[in-house]
Amino acid sequence: MRGLSKSPICFILILALHLSNGDLRYSVPEEMKRGYVVGNPAKDLRLDAKTLVSRNARLDADGVSKRFSELDTRTGALIVSEPGDREELCGSRQMCLLKYELVLEKPLELHSVVVQIQDINDNAPQFSSDKIKLEISESAVKGTTFFLGEAHDADLGQNAVQGYSLGRNGHFSLHVGTNSDGGNYAELVLDKELDREKEQEVTLFLTATDGGDPERSGTAVIHVTVLDANDNSPVFTQPVYKVNLPENAPMGTVVVSVNATDADAGVNGEVMYEFSRMSDKAARIFSLDKLNGEIKVTGPVDFEEESYYEMRVQAKDGLGSASDAKVVVEVTDVNDNSPKIVIKSLINPFPENVIPGTEVGIVNVQDEDSGQNRQVRCFIQENVPFKLNPSIKNYYSIIITTGVDREIVSYFNITIIAVDEGTPALSSSKSIHLSVSDVNDNPPVFEKIDYGAYMTENNKPGTSICSVSARDPDWRQNGTVLYSLVSSEVNGVPVSSFISINADTGVIHAVRSFDYEQFRNFKVQVVARDNGSPPLSSNVTVSVFITDENDNSPQILYPAPEGKSLMTEMVPKASLSGSLVSKVIAVDADSGQNAWLSYQIVKSTDPGLFTIGLHSGEIRALRDITESDSMKQNLVISVKDNGQPPLSATCSVYLLISDNLAEVPELKDMTYEESNSKLTSYLIIALVSVSTFFLTFIILILAVRFCHKRKPRLLFDGAVAIPSAYLPPNYAEVEGAGTLRSSYNYDTYLTTGSRTSDFKFVASYNENTLPSTHTLNRIQNQFDPFEENLFTVASSDSKSRFKR
Ligand SMILES: *[C@@H]1O[C@H](CO)[C@@H](O)[C@H](O)[C@H]1NC(C)=O
Ligand SMILES: *[C@@H]1O[C@H](CO)[C@@H](O)[C@H](O)[C@H]1NC(C)=O
Ligand SMILES: *[C@@H]1O[C@H](CO)[C@@H](O)[C@H](O)[C@H]1NC(C)=O
């Protein structure tokens, strides 16, 4: 009694085996346990399973597909993650296909994976009711058929209902017919007339079996009540009702009205409708009006949930004669889903030195609708240096278009907008906060191009001199500035023994006490270095100027301090008032006012006889010298500088009023060194005379030369050369024009030549202004032939210091 109709099932199997190009296809029986390996896409794609995690491999469900399997990133296998029932997943569809996308990043790769769920025989055939009531007139003739309906098996193909069998009985046999849609239905065939008087009721067992292995079956009990006649069954106006229903149709919407007519009259012609077969899902959404056959919406219709419903409707007349028709509802899509934007990966924060064109993120856009409603446009709204580049399918890369500088913009707010092409269009947006991370790309920059600092000499060690400061706009340690000195030498001494710098604050301290007379300024390079890796640095020159303090008392060069040698000036007897008799020469190692010397006679043998120039130190006769004046004259002269407080020194000058050495009988008395022999004295005096003559001669030549020049008179009447042997050892200029020369030695000049020479100290001692370096240079150039004879004390420093 088993009616097998194999050909449609074979056809379906052939369809299922047809693979589409490029897709990875796997098939798996339904109801497999969690962890069951469906296939290994990694192996099939020749991917190295080890790279899967780093490439962020994952399985994205495509569209509305339900989750069923997932990727095991350890092995690359596709495994069952949520065991599922084919009938639950795909309903009555013949092909149960779950579509996935295998997504890999770096670079982005996309592979379609299709999993076909194969049917297993897990459902038994089932009748719509396990009790079938038939009322059969006793007049029914042999061969009359009675519709029993169809058993339903949720499985497919071989696993669906394959045949019916009827329990042993004396009246009926079974006939299996085929519906227009391929289903098998059963009919009772009356083999032997009924006799109501003999049997009022007949009970039969109808069994439906499927073709699975093992076989499953369902049974219904048929109660036949023997009656009088009902000749016609209701007939539907059409065998299949096919309608389209837009999704989201409101409750109460009439989907379709089925209609069947029965030719019988009265109760035998009253038609009642009911669903004879429908899925649970459909039962929740549709209702059938028993009387008028209207099918209405009673639940939510969602295209994305289910787009196809198939139901069977039975029409029965009052006495149970029935027939059925099929209702197919195809749900049409309405643009009711806005696109979904998913950020799949994002480099956040990204470094500021990123190259334009770099991909900083991947965005996936999905729309659950179909057709036009699924087409999505995607773009970035703001005016930011990013754009979306369409990548594979519905993936976009976020590309940076220009270089960025964290020191100008440290983050970006980006809004990605997705708009679908339905009418009306739906859109959605997603905001991303992208930060820029720092790269050490700015060196520290000093606030000034160079620094100058003044420091008074004799400072305390540790005194702060000045501070330098550099800025670095980078972040944290890349912008943290540390200061240090570049090692160098000043006068052969490492600079670090003069000053030190605080690495954090940039404050420069003196390490030792400075001496202006040793050096007046020095330069040092300070480096500001940030803490980046590698660090960036810049440097600046700091000039330290040491300013003078009056810490040196005047030093008298001529006459030499007592006790050294015989220092006696000869004054001609006939000297007139105002004639120059001698000159005191003193120097002061300080500069400016601190070295501006003034001379004063503090004690003299004859107070009215001699006077001294306040600043020139020239000793002149105050009146004509007469015979009556004492031959020996002693003067005590004090030399004082102009510092605050002033320092001074004194010396004694011995004068001998005489024209002839022979006239000096008491010379011996005058000498302070009694031990000197007479011969020595004479020798010295002879030497003095010769030297005086020579000096006079030189000065004459000088005078002649100076007369031909214009200006120099302002500074000089004659030049005096002071031999370096008389200079204090430290008395040397560190820098500038006043370099001392020591190539000439004029000992003889000074010890003897004072009588006729016009001693003039260089400008700064006579004039109130101190010549600048330039002035001095020019003077020297003008006196080129004598340059080496000149002793210049002028400082090269600026005037400001002098005006102090
Ligand atoms: C950017 O977004 C952040 C929040 O993510 C907000 O605090 C900030 O104000 C936004 N900036 C601008 C310029 O819109
Ligand atoms: C500093 O810059 C370097 C690159 O030059 C970068 O790797 C580091 O993260 C930056 N540090 C900070 C605190 O931003
Ligand atoms: C100081 O900076 C200049 C350029 O600004 C560079 O050439 C020089 O090497 C730097 N000196 C030191 C010691 O870093």
Side-chain angles (χ1 to χ4, degrees):
M1 292 298 276
R2 199 190 256 186
L4 294 177
S5 54
K6 260 193 182 150
S7 56
I9 291 161
C10 292
F11 179 59
I12 288 159
L13 281 175
I14 288 160
L15 257 185
L17 288 170
H18 182 79
L19 302 178
S20 74
N21 298 359
D23 292 354
L24 290 167
R25 276 211 168 207
Y26 301 97
S27 66
V28 55
E30 61 175 322
E31 307 267 339
M32 290 320 286
K33 286 215 178 64
R34 191 183 305 274
Y36 177 83
V37 177
V38 178
N40 194 323
K43 204 179 279 172
D44 297 340
L45 292 169
R46 296 197 179 83
L47 296 170
D48 184 358
K50 289 184 197 103
T51 64
L52 293 177
V53 174
S54 66
R55 292 190 64 188
N56 196 9
R58 59 189 178 264
L59 209 58
D60 281 346
D62 182 23
V64 299
S65 290
K66 287 99 191 157
R67 270 255 158 232
F68 170 75
S69 50
E70 65 185 22
L71 190 71
D72 181 353
T73 47
R74 239 169 355 93
T75 60
L78 194 63
I79 54 166
V80 173
S81 62
E82 290 171 27
D85 184 23
R86 191 198 67 85
E87 288 71 35
E88 187 63 31
L89 288 167
C90 297
S92 53
R93 279 201 194 79
Q94 295 290 356
M95 289 276 269
C96 185
L97 299 178
L98 301 182
K99 292 184 184 163
Y100 299 96
E101 272 165 11
L102 175 60
V103 184
L104 294 152
E105 291 173 11
K106 294 177 251 168
L108 185 61
E109 260 181 57
L110 213 60
H111 300 281
S112 269
V113 177
V114 177
V115 174
Q116 184 182 356
I117 312 285
Q118 287 168 341
D119 186 39
I120 61 167
N121 192 22
D122 57 345
N123 289 288
Q126 219 177 349
F127 290 95
S128 52
S129 162
D130 48 10
K131 275 189 189 141
I132 302 172
K133 282 194 174 149
L134 285 179
E135 289 167 332
I136 298 175
S137 165
E138 58 181 331
S139 65
V141 294
K142 201 170 139 182
T144 311
T145 56
F146 300 93
F147 184 75
L148 291 175
E150 201 179 324
H152 172 63
D153 188 323
D155 296 322
L156 287 181
Q158 199 68 23
N159 296 333
V161 176
Q162 297 293 323
Y164 298 92
S165 61
L166 191 66
R168 204 177 268 275
N169 68 88
H171 295 277
F172 298 99
S173 66
L174 195 66
H175 171 253
V176 178
T178 306
N179 275 325
S180 53
D181 66 341
N184 297 332
Y185 64 87
E187 282 179 327
L188 273 184
V189 182
L190 189 63
D191 279 347
K192 190 181 163 220
E193 282 85 355
L194 294 163
D195 185 358
R196 203 181 72 85
E197 283 65 45
K198 263 192 192 162
E199 264 178 314
Q200 279 205 350
E201 265 188 6
V202 180
T203 302
L204 301 166
F205 292 96
L206 177 63
T207 306
T209 47
D210 62 24
D213 180 24
E215 185 180 88
R216 287 170 181 265
S217 63
T219 305
V221 181
I222 306 170
H223 290 283
V224 180
T225 311
V226 185
L227 289 178
D228 298 317
N230 176 23
D231 302 308
N232 292 290
S233 306
V235 177
F236 277 100
T237 48
Q238 52 194 96
V240 178
Y241 293 87
K242 200 166 185 174
V243 287
N244 286 334
L245 177 68
E247 66 171 323
N248 302 334
M251 304 274 187
T253 306
V254 176
V255 181
V256 67
S257 282
V258 294
N259 190 16
T261 48
D262 191 306
D264 293 328
V267 180
N268 292 342
E270 271 174 20
V271 182
M272 302 267 260
Y273 303 94
E274 62 183 37
F275 285 120
S276 60
R277 179 183 122 196
M278 74 193 303
S279 65
D280 290 347
K281 217 182 257 173
R284 271 178 254 132
I285 296 173
F286 301 106
S287 71
L288 176 61
D289 190 309
K290 243 196 226 177
L291 298 175
N292 62 16
E294 257 179 15
I295 297 178
K296 282 186 183 170
V297 174
T298 54
V301 185
D302 187 356
F303 173 85
E304 287 72 38
E305 181 73 22
E306 188 62 77
S307 60
Y308 180 86
Y309 296 96
E310 205 182 277
M311 299 161 275
R312 258 181 192 283
V313 180
Q314 197 175 61
K316 231 184 201 174
D317 64 21
L319 292 176
S321 259
S323 66
D324 65 0
K326 188 159 141 181
V327 176
V328 173
V329 178
E330 272 176 7
V331 180
T332 54
D333 185 39
V334 165
N335 192 21
D336 61 343
N337 289 287
S338 42
K340 274 199 195 101
I341 302 169
V342 186
I343 309 294
K344 290 288 185 181
S345 74
L346 198 61
I347 305 173
N348 192 13
F350 65 89
E352 59 179 321
N353 62 354
V354 69
I355 302 157
T358 307
E359 179 183 87
V360 296
I362 297 172
V363 175
N364 179 236
V365 187
Q366 290 177 358
D367 194 306
E368 292 191 347
D369 295 318
S370 61
Q372 280 286 99
N373 298 339
R374 198 187 173 97
Q375 299 301 313
V376 178
R377 254 178 336 113
C378 201
F379 54 90
I380 286 176
Q381 195 179 34
E382 293 95 344
N383 185 19
V384 287
F386 296 95
K387 66 175 182 190
L388 282 184
N389 263 10
S391 185
I392 307 166
K393 238 172 139 186
N394 42 5
Y395 283 83
Y396 294 84
S397 298
I398 305 175
I399 302 285
I400 185 153
T401 55
T402 62
V404 293
D405 187 358
R406 191 201 66 83
E407 285 72 42
I408 297 170
V409 186
S410 63
Y411 70 88
F412 295 94
N413 284 347
I414 301 175
T415 310
I416 295 172
I417 310 251
V419 184
D420 67 21
E421 298 196 338
T423 19
L426 294 177
S427 70
S428 59
S429 68
K430 184 131 200 156
S431 289
I432 314 173
H433 185 80
L434 259 183
S435 331
V436 186
S437 66
D438 188 39
V439 165
N440 192 18
D441 57 353
N442 287 288
V445 175
F446 281 98
E447 281 171 350
K448 291 191 200 164
I449 297 165
D450 49 24
Y451 289 83
Y454 294 95
M455 188 70 209
T456 309
E457 62 172 329
N458 303 325
N459 56 293
K460 280 206 195 89
T463 315
S464 79
I465 299 175
C466 68
S467 72
V468 296
S469 165
R471 297 200 177 286
D472 188 328
D474 287 324
W475 182 245
R476 298 258 164 85
Q477 73 253 35
N478 291 341
T480 308
V481 181
L482 292 176
Y483 303 93
S484 59
L485 297 176
V486 175
S487 59
S488 63
E489 294 193 339
V490 175
N491 291 354
V493 181
V495 75
S496 56
S497 63
F498 290 107
I499 57 171
S500 68
I501 190 162
N502 183 315
D504 297 324
T505 61
V507 175
I508 296 176
H509 294 273
V511 169
R512 58 152 80 162
S513 180
F514 296 126
D515 185 359
Y516 175 81
E517 286 71 37
Q518 243 175 18
F519 53 85
R520 301 185 174 186
N521 58 38
F522 59 89
K523 286 187 174 153
V524 61
Q525 294 256 298
V526 173
V527 177
R529 181 173 283 113
D530 63 28
N531 227 346
S533 159
L536 296 175
S537 67
S538 60
N539 59 47
V540 76
T541 303
V542 177
S543 306
V544 178
F545 299 100
I546 294 150
T547 55
D548 188 37
E549 222 177 32
N550 194 21
D551 59 346
N552 288 286
S553 41
Q555 275 199 33
I556 294 161
L557 303 181
Y558 181 83
E562 283 183 36
K564 276 233 176 121
S565 62
L566 188 70
M567 294 289 232
T568 305
E569 292 282 345
M570 301 270 285
V571 181
K573 273 182 184 157
S575 293
L576 297 177
S577 153
S579 61
L580 182 68
V581 296
S582 182
K583 180 170 171 121
V584 175
I585 300 172
V587 291
D588 192 310
D590 295 321
S591 68
Q593 293 282 348
N594 295 337
W596 195 31
L597 301 180
S598 47
Y599 301 83
Q600 244 180 327
I601 298 174
V602 291
K603 200 176 140 205
S604 65
T605 315
D606 184 350
L609 192 53
F610 298 106
T611 176
I612 190 161
L614 182 59
H615 296 300
S616 64
E618 288 170 350
I619 302 170
R620 288 171 188 277
L622 204 54
R623 56 175 170 79
D624 297 351
I625 292 172
T626 59
E627 287 289 340
S628 60
D629 286 321
S630 164
M631 207 175 170
K632 295 178 287 175
Q633 295 283 338
N634 285 3
L635 302 175
V636 176
I637 290 161
S638 137
V639 185
K640 198 165 78 175
D641 64 26
N642 206 19
Q644 278 301 329
L647 297 172
S648 64
T650 54
C651 65
S652 300
V653 176
Y654 299 97
L655 300 172
L656 188 66
I657 300 172
S658 168
D659 286 334
N660 189 341
L661 280 175
E663 282 180 11
V664 195
E666 306 103 329
L667 192 64
K668 200 169 65 179
D669 305 338
M670 270 180 70
T671 56
Y672 22 81
E673 288 176 75
E674 294 289 325
S675 59
N676 274 1
S677 73
K678 205 164 190 176
L679 184 63
T680 317
S681 308
Y682 280 128
L683 271 173
I684 288 167
I685 289 162
L687 205 59
V688 165
S689 309
V690 171
S691 301
T692 308
F693 177 74
F694 181 55
L695 189 61
T696 315
F697 178 66
I698 294 279
I699 288 171
L700 259 171
I701 292 172
L702 276 179
V704 169
R705 281 197 78 119
F706 290 166
C707 284
H708 295 290
K709 308 267 177 179
R710 272 174 297 146
K711 269 279 170 202
R713 291 223 160 263
L714 196 113
L715 297 173
F716 292 89
D717 283 335
V720 169
I722 295 174
S724 56
Y726 278 87
L727 293 170
N730 289 338
Y731 196 82
E733 300 220 10
V734 170
E735 197 187 10
T739 317
L740 283 176
R741 309 284 185 143
S742 54
S743 45
Y744 288 73
N745 200 325
Y746 288 97
D747 280 13
T748 26
Y749 274 33
L750 282 162
T751 46
T752 61
S754 56
R755 185 200 291 177
T756 42
S757 58
D758 247 344
F759 278 94
K760 286 271 177 182
F761 232 103
V762 186
S764 61
Y765 283 78
N766 288 336
E767 314 292 330
N768 276 348
T769 55
L770 204 59
S772 74
T773 310
H774 289 296
T775 328
L776 202 63
N777 279 336
R778 203 166 57 235
I779 291 163
Q780 285 185 327
N781 291 338
Q782 282 170 342
F783 292 87
D784 212 26
F786 305 96
E787 188 193 340
E788 272 127 354
N789 301 356
L790 293 176
F791 168 52
T792 53
V793 190
S795 154
S796 65
D797 292 343
S798 66
K799 280 177 187 163
S800 61
R801 189 151 49 81
F802 183 71
K803 282 176 187 160
R804 172 163 67 106

